Amino acid sequence: MHFLDQAKIFVRSGAGGPGAVSFRREKYIEYGGPDGGNGGKGGDIVFEAVAGLNTLIDFRYTQHFRAPRGHGGSGSNRTGGGGDDLVIKVPVGTQILADDEERTLLADLTRVGERITFLRGGDGGRGNASYKTSTNRAPRQHGTGWPSEEAWVWLRLKLLADAGLVGLPNAGKSTFINGVTNAQAKVGDYAFTTTRPQLGVVRHHQREFVVADIPGLIEGAADGAGIGDRFLGHIERCRVLLHLVDANDEDVAESYRIVRDELAAYGGGLDEKPVVVALNKIDTLDDELIAALSAELEEASGAEVIPISGVSGVGVDWVLDRLLDAIPSNEKPVDDDGEEAAVDWSPV
């Protein structure tokens, strides 16, 4: 499945149906009078966040969405049928933005089942029966129905994850996420193996959390170098970042600073998030060199550095422990077989 995290679509609600002009004429009813019914309401445009979607690719092929209009009223004071609401299903984490220079945020769908009525359908027009007065016994006017609403909007997907992986290209992020989750990210001995974000679920110490892997950053990514920084939006919602540094780089401190500078240039508070720093690919080095590089990286980052190997698994549990410490626990623990573990009841 192709990954698409931005799409521009046109939406229009349904117009209200017209009211009817009708008069009751029956043989034994001397003064029948007007009996035109009101028109039906037009359909609303509704956005709903659903589980099981992680891309906006469907909106590349379907870009226009129009809700049906309301039906017209009829005689015998019968109101016209309303138009059905048009429900547009989007992935959880989708933002709706205005089509202006600032890309004004209009709505943010962050929970499964969350629904918003984005455009309201027009109300139906009044039938001539509602215009009857003591001085106007046979009105022939009617309402045509309220018009619809329409707009061009941008959909932008920001994946929901608890932890985000950052680092230079070929830092071992894909190998790490493949080793600790059920993801199947592409791994290769060349830069930019990952070209789209990947999600995976980690189960560790009877808890689960979601990890997001984004394409690697290079110096100047904020200005469009490499793949650029457009995918950084997918880790804006992460509670903690895991910064992987390749132990085989010529200057591990400089590799760390390059990524940190790009996070700061992007904004969104990414450089202010809690970060776990890991020196990856230590399986290719001896203990003395590992200690020297870790000390150099600690001096540059000001944080504890965890030596790990995504291939052999050395230090991975240590990293996962640090990530769990930074992720609030708001879910029930799970057993190894996936079932919720029994816990003692507590009022707090």
Side-chain angles (χ1 to χ4, degrees):
M1 178 182 294
H2 296 289
F3 180 82
L4 186 69
D5 60 355
Q6 291 186 14
K8 184 180 180 181
I9 64 173
F10 174 82
V11 290
R12 184 171 69 191
S13 61
V21 176
S22 175
F23 294 91
R24 182 178 182 182
R25 295 184 177 88
E26 295 184 28
K27 182 175 182 180
Y28 298 105
I29 303 297
E30 184 176 1
Y31 301 105
D35 66 349
N38 299 331
K41 177 183 173 296
D44 298 335
I45 294 292
V46 179
F47 285 95
E48 180 182 6
V50 297
L53 294 179
N54 57 9
T55 176
L56 299 174
I57 189 64
D58 292 337
F59 298 98
R60 170 173 290 180
Y61 309 107
T62 304
Q63 299 172 343
H64 292 78
F65 298 86
R66 299 178 177 89
R69 66 174 301 159
H71 297 279
S74 57
S76 300
N77 292 309
R78 287 177 292 184
T79 301
D84 294 332
D85 295 339
L86 179 58
V87 180
I88 302 175
K89 297 182 178 181
V90 296
V92 179
T94 299
Q95 294 180 328
I96 305 174
L97 311 174
D99 185 26
D100 54 21
E101 294 182 358
E102 294 79 17
R103 293 289 191 270
T104 306
L105 179 63
L106 303 177
D108 194 0
L109 304 174
T110 58
R111 301 188 308 274
V112 175
E114 186 176 1
R115 292 167 61 106
I116 63 163
T117 301
F118 185 71
L119 296 180
R120 187 179 183 278
D123 291 328
R126 294 165 55 189
N128 69 330
S130 64
Y131 287 94
K132 180 180 178 182
T133 66
S134 60
T135 58
N136 185 10
R137 308 297 295 176
R140 294 186 178 274
Q141 65 265 41
H142 71 287
T144 57
W146 290 89
S148 59
E149 299 178 350
E150 62 183 42
W152 283 95
V153 295
W154 282 89
L155 302 181
R156 181 172 63 187
L157 174 61
K158 291 185 178 180
L159 297 176
L160 297 180
D162 300 301
L165 298 182
V166 296
L168 293 176
N170 228 21
K173 301 188 299 299
S174 297
T175 301
F176 179 85
I177 195 173
N178 286 346
V180 300
T181 75
N182 55 354
Q184 297 180 350
K186 183 178 180 181
V187 177
D189 189 18
Y190 55 90
F192 298 114
T193 307
T194 301
T195 58
R196 63 183 181 88
Q198 299 278 350
L199 285 180
V201 179
V202 178
R203 177 177 295 166
H204 187 63
H205 292 332
Q206 297 185 350
R207 287 179 57 188
E208 290 184 351
F209 62 95
V210 180
V211 176
D213 175 25
I214 66 169
L217 301 171
I218 64 174
E219 188 172 8
D223 299 322
I227 296 183
D229 63 353
R230 59 168 294 187
F231 292 120
L232 282 177
H234 294 287
I235 59 174
E236 284 186 23
R237 307 179 194 268
C238 294
R239 296 180 174 93
V240 60
L241 301 180
L242 174 57
H243 190 157
L244 295 182
V245 179
D246 190 347
N248 297 307
D249 290 344
E250 294 183 1
D251 189 343
V252 293
E254 180 63 18
S255 298
Y256 173 83
R257 283 192 289 267
I258 288 175
V259 174
R260 296 300 298 179
D261 290 344
E262 296 305 321
L263 295 179
Y266 177 83
L270 293 184
D271 58 332
E272 301 174 0
K273 289 183 177 293
V275 60
V276 176
V277 182
L279 183 68
N280 197 15
K281 303 183 182 180
I282 63 170
D283 53 290
T284 61
L285 308 175
D286 56 34
D287 294 341
E288 182 179 355
L289 186 55
I290 292 173
L293 292 176
S294 298
E296 181 180 351
L297 190 54
E298 284 185 3
E299 182 179 357
S301 63
E304 177 188 24
V305 173
I306 304 176
I308 69 168
S309 171
V311 174
S312 64
V314 174
V316 171
D317 287 342
W318 187 3
V319 168
L320 297 180
D321 290 340
R322 292 293 180 268
L323 294 178
L324 280 180
D325 292 341
I327 300 173
S329 178
N330 54 3
E331 297 180 355
K332 296 181 179 180
V334 295
D335 291 327
D336 293 337
D337 57 2
E339 297 181 356
E340 293 184 356
V343 295
D344 294 334
W345 181 87
S346 173
V348 296

